Amino acid sequence: MSVLANPRTENARPTANSKPVIRKRRSPTGESPVIRWGRRISLTLIGLFALLPIYWLIVTSLRKTETVFEFPPQLLPVNVTFEHFGTIFGNGDLLRFLLNSILVSVITAISSVLIGMYCAYSFSKFRYRGRRSLMFLILCSQLFPHVLLLITIYGLFSALGMLNSYPALVLAFTTFTLPLCIWMLKGTFDNIPDELIEAAKIDGANQFVIIHKILFPLAAPGLIAAGLFAFVRGWNDFVFALTLSGDATRTLPPGLVTTYLNEFSNRWPELMAASLVAALPVLAIFMALQKYFVAGLGAGAVKG
Amino acid sequence: MTLTATRPPTRAKGVTFFPYLLMLPAITLLAAVVIYPLLGALGDAFFERSLLREGRTFVGLDNILHAISADLWPLAVTTLTFAVPATVAPFLVGLVAALALNQKMRGRAAVRSVFLLPWVLPGVVVSFLWLWIFDANYGVLNGTLRTAGLIDTNIGWLDSGPGAMLAVIVARTWGTFPWMMVMLLAALQSFPGELGEAGRVDGANAWQRFRHITWPGLRPVASIVVLLEFIWNFQHFDTIYVLTGGGPANATTTFSLAVYETAFDGFDLGMAAAIGALWLLMLLPAVAIYLKSEHKS
């Protein structure tokens, strides 16, 4: 870790030469040794805190069952095996949970972006009565406890005979994906200059053409980022999926809980393997698109 | 959406219903899945209503009075015992990480994305992982502490109230400090670097520079992330449900666990809604402060 805090990268800073006041004991970055070591030590400690549990998740999933229950635990991978991944993929239930997760999260992402983008366009490019209040209301809707909303949603879906169906899950997931998508997409559209739209109007383009042929292609990276956010939020959801899905429609998070919670005494490596499978799509998306994730955090997470 | 195709372009300034039309699908959907359920749940607080049978009976304030006398204070105390440390700890870890990363160095982007990993994992995976780490018999935490000679016998972390609370707070801290780090780092990087440089030239030490230069600039963002994290923790469900199920002996039963269990294990929707209404009332000041600060910015 200490190599990551290499101070030499900033040693060409002109101020170091032009200001003779800087004391001799300082490094070329102007940091005192205390600060430099403080930085290195804290990064190392936080890095260990962040990574050791993930390391433990992977190592446990790769280990033969009998070595997992040795005491004290072996910290290095010994007797590496992929048998637990075989077990979980051989288990029809988990495979079904996986396919359900893919199906429900993809539909949630697509529908949230489709519905959210028109709303975001309206908020971004028009000025009208009630616009700010509605945006405010959408922000508020992120702050209510999901469990509380679930009481009525459950009753409503039960009355409509929609429990244990895919549309029920997609609709419920929309409560938290749609506001997020609208806020993120509004930010994206705000960055597209109004002059482009004005110019298209002068050329005789109607709103349909402006929206679909000009605005959305320009906003494509933002639309993809918002869709991936919605996908990840849908993929990770637990409490709506636990309550509204049945055996046939259950997604991975509640599936893992119903399969393993309370009966995992000797199935830890299998559970860790299944957890890794549940985490991998999200990790892959994150790795590929972390730039958007970090930018989207500002636009999406804080603003709702 | 085909409606928009048939409309001529709106050139005229002034009132037009086109922007309303654009947002109609989204607003309708949110009304159906957020506003209606919220009002519905609040309404249910005044009825005796069970999941097991149709219909409901008006009982006035009975549910609410009963919830106040029986559950409110223990639940509020447990919820705050979780929510306050689970907000402060990730904030401090995230702040230290952000300050340490707010310096150009090789591999900073890589370190930042590695630190973000815990935040990306599904909540259920985070909970299972920490359930395994805290496991009394085979968990790596007891194993490491015993190997290091710090303890003689295994500790049943999840078997005692304080141990279980500690476990959910640690798991939650692990899962959310990266978000704090990214938000604070973004704020740090938006201020001009010359300020710190000037402070250094004037002979301010690191603490004085942090106290008088960095912190005042960071405070607006810090207060928003802390408030938002507190609001989320006040209603957090996943980690607690999987890690402790609210136990042992209700030691980790927060409002969200209580509402869930009353509604879906006890089938008492009216009582669940009453607890939920009181919970919302306690959450309201924090929400109001957040919305006010957001409105200003």
Side-chain angles (χ1 to χ4, degrees):
Chain A
M1 280 290 164
S2 63
V3 72
L4 297 170
N6 188 340
R8 295 176 59 84
T9 47
E10 281 211 337
N11 60 5
R13 191 183 283 179
T15 47
N17 301 324
S18 56
K19 306 276 185 198
V21 204
I22 290 184
R23 295 188 193 103
K24 284 182 201 122
R25 274 179 58 239
R26 296 195 188 282
S27 75
T29 56
E31 283 184 313
S32 69
V34 177
I35 298 282
R36 196 164 65 241
W37 281 101
R39 181 190 305 282
R40 286 175 182 167
I41 291 167
S42 39
L43 283 180
T44 309
L45 290 178
I46 296 170
L48 289 173
F49 176 61
L51 280 185
L52 281 180
I54 294 178
Y55 172 78
W56 199 236
L57 169 74
I58 297 169
V59 167
T60 306
S61 72
L62 291 174
R63 213 170 251 181
K64 281 201 183 308
T65 304
E66 50 284 10
T67 59
V68 166
F69 298 106
E70 279 171 2
F71 196 90
Q74 291 283 330
L75 297 182
L76 295 171
V78 282
N79 293 330
V80 168
T81 171
F82 289 94
E83 65 178 310
H84 306 298
F85 291 91
T87 313
I88 58 169
F89 282 114
N91 177 334
D93 280 350
L94 283 170
L95 206 57
R96 197 172 64 243
F97 300 152
L98 181 66
L99 293 176
N100 283 339
S101 268
I102 294 171
L103 182 76
V104 173
S105 310
V106 166
I107 297 175
T108 300
I110 294 173
S111 55
S112 308
V113 172
L114 275 179
I115 296 168
M117 63 190 188
Y118 293 99
C119 185
Y121 172 59
S122 170
F123 285 159
S124 175
K125 299 296 181 203
F126 294 89
R127 297 290 173 271
Y128 47 89
R129 187 185 275 277
R131 185 185 71 105
R132 285 189 67 85
S133 315
L134 279 168
M135 285 167 55
F136 199 61
L137 202 67
I138 286 175
L139 181 63
C140 287
S141 73
Q142 284 283 281
L143 302 172
F144 296 123
H146 283 170
V147 172
L148 193 57
L149 303 183
L150 198 51
I151 298 176
T152 314
I153 292 181
Y154 183 91
L156 181 68
F157 286 171
S158 167
L160 295 171
M162 280 174 67
L163 285 179
N164 312 339
S165 73
Y166 294 115
L169 287 180
V170 172
L171 278 174
F173 288 179
T174 310
T175 52
F176 52 80
T177 55
L178 190 58
L180 186 83
C181 283
I182 292 172
W183 275 96
M184 282 182 72
L185 292 173
K186 181 185 174 293
T188 306
F189 294 151
D190 284 349
N191 288 332
I192 293 176
D194 291 349
E195 290 77 32
L196 276 172
I197 295 170
E198 290 307 319
K201 271 188 196 161
I202 291 165
D203 291 344
N206 63 23
Q207 284 290 353
F208 185 84
V209 171
I210 291 172
I211 294 174
H212 298 100
K213 298 270 167 66
I214 298 170
L215 195 75
F216 291 163
L218 284 172
L223 294 172
I224 293 170
L228 288 168
F229 254 104
F231 176 90
V232 169
R233 292 286 299 270
W235 185 276
N236 290 354
D237 173 75
F238 171 60
V239 66
F240 279 134
L242 175 71
T243 315
L244 302 174
S245 66
D247 284 337
T249 54
R250 194 163 287 138
T251 55
L252 263 176
L256 290 184
V257 168
T258 52
T259 308
Y260 293 102
L261 197 61
N262 302 327
E263 54 145 329
F264 43 67
S265 50
N266 55 356
R267 294 170 78 188
W268 281 111
E270 196 187 319
L271 171 56
M272 289 300 116
S275 295
L276 206 53
V277 168
L280 279 179
V282 176
L283 289 177
I285 290 175
F286 168 71
M287 291 292 188
L289 293 149
Q290 27 162 318
K291 200 174 65 181
Y292 295 117
F293 257 92
V294 173
L297 269 176
V302 147
K303 305 240 161 139
Chain B
M1 295 313 134
T2 49
L3 277 173
T4 58
T6 56
R7 274 183 58 81
T10 39
R11 286 255 170 74
K13 297 262 189 292
V15 185
T16 157
F17 73 92
F18 181 65
Y20 294 98
L21 194 69
L22 283 172
M23 66 184 189
L24 198 62
I27 301 294
T28 314
L29 199 54
L30 284 177
V33 292
V34 181
I35 312 281
Y36 168 74
L38 187 72
L39 297 176
L42 294 180
D44 275 346
F46 303 97
F47 291 86
E48 190 190 315
R49 185 169 171 220
S50 166
L51 262 190
L52 300 177
R53 52 175 195 280
E54 297 281 302
R56 55 185 196 174
T57 331
F58 185 73
V59 293
L61 291 175
D62 279 8
N63 285 331
I64 290 175
L65 292 175
H66 186 252
I68 289 174
S69 64
D71 303 320
L72 188 66
W73 298 116
L75 285 175
V77 168
T78 310
T79 305
L80 288 173
T81 311
F82 167 74
V84 172
T87 304
V88 173
F91 173 72
L92 293 178
V93 179
L95 179 65
V96 171
L99 290 171
L101 286 173
N102 187 35
Q103 166 94 30
K104 282 212 179 70
M105 61 184 199
R106 208 182 310 161
R108 181 171 66 180
V111 175
R112 191 187 58 192
S113 55
V114 161
F115 282 13
L116 270 164
L117 290 178
W119 176 74
V120 192
L121 295 186
V124 167
V125 169
V126 173
S127 316
F128 273 132
L129 177 53
W130 285 94
L131 195 58
W132 172 218
I133 290 172
F134 279 109
D135 185 80
N137 298 316
Y138 305 106
V140 68
L141 181 60
N142 276 337
T144 310
L145 291 176
R146 269 178 69 173
T147 311
L150 294 171
I151 53 170
D152 296 328
T153 47
N154 284 351
I155 297 174
W157 298 101
L158 300 169
D159 301 333
S160 76
M165 185 56 93
L166 180 74
V168 289
I169 291 168
V170 168
R172 183 73 181 149
T173 301
W174 188 74
T176 54
F177 90 83
W179 176 76
M180 294 277 198
M181 174 192 77
V182 169
M183 302 306 296
L184 294 170
L185 189 57
L188 283 172
Q189 293 187 344
S190 68
F191 350 132
E194 302 84 58
L195 272 177
E197 202 61 44
R200 193 177 289 156
V201 170
D202 291 344
N205 68 28
W207 168 248
Q208 288 166 333
R209 289 201 303 274
F210 174 76
R211 178 71 189 76
H212 297 291
I213 300 172
T214 313
W215 181 246
L218 209 51
R219 213 171 52 192
V221 171
S223 57
I224 285 200
V225 292
V226 163
L227 202 56
L228 204 53
E229 186 63 36
F230 178 77
I231 291 171
W232 286 335
N233 279 331
F234 205 80
Q235 60 201 45
H236 185 69
F237 182 81
D238 299 11
T239 314
I240 307 176
Y241 182 85
V242 177
L243 213 48
T244 67
N250 287 342
T252 54
T253 301
T254 57
F255 275 113
S256 58
L257 270 283
V259 169
Y260 184 87
E261 279 164 9
T262 310
F264 297 104
D265 295 334
F267 309 113
D268 190 345
L269 291 187
M271 186 51 104
I275 299 171
L278 294 168
W279 173 26
L280 207 56
L281 222 57
M282 301 185 78
L283 189 58
L284 227 47
V287 172
I289 296 169
Y290 169 71
L291 290 175
K292 209 175 148 197
S293 61
E294 187 65 22
H295 205 65
K296 260 190 288 177
S297 63

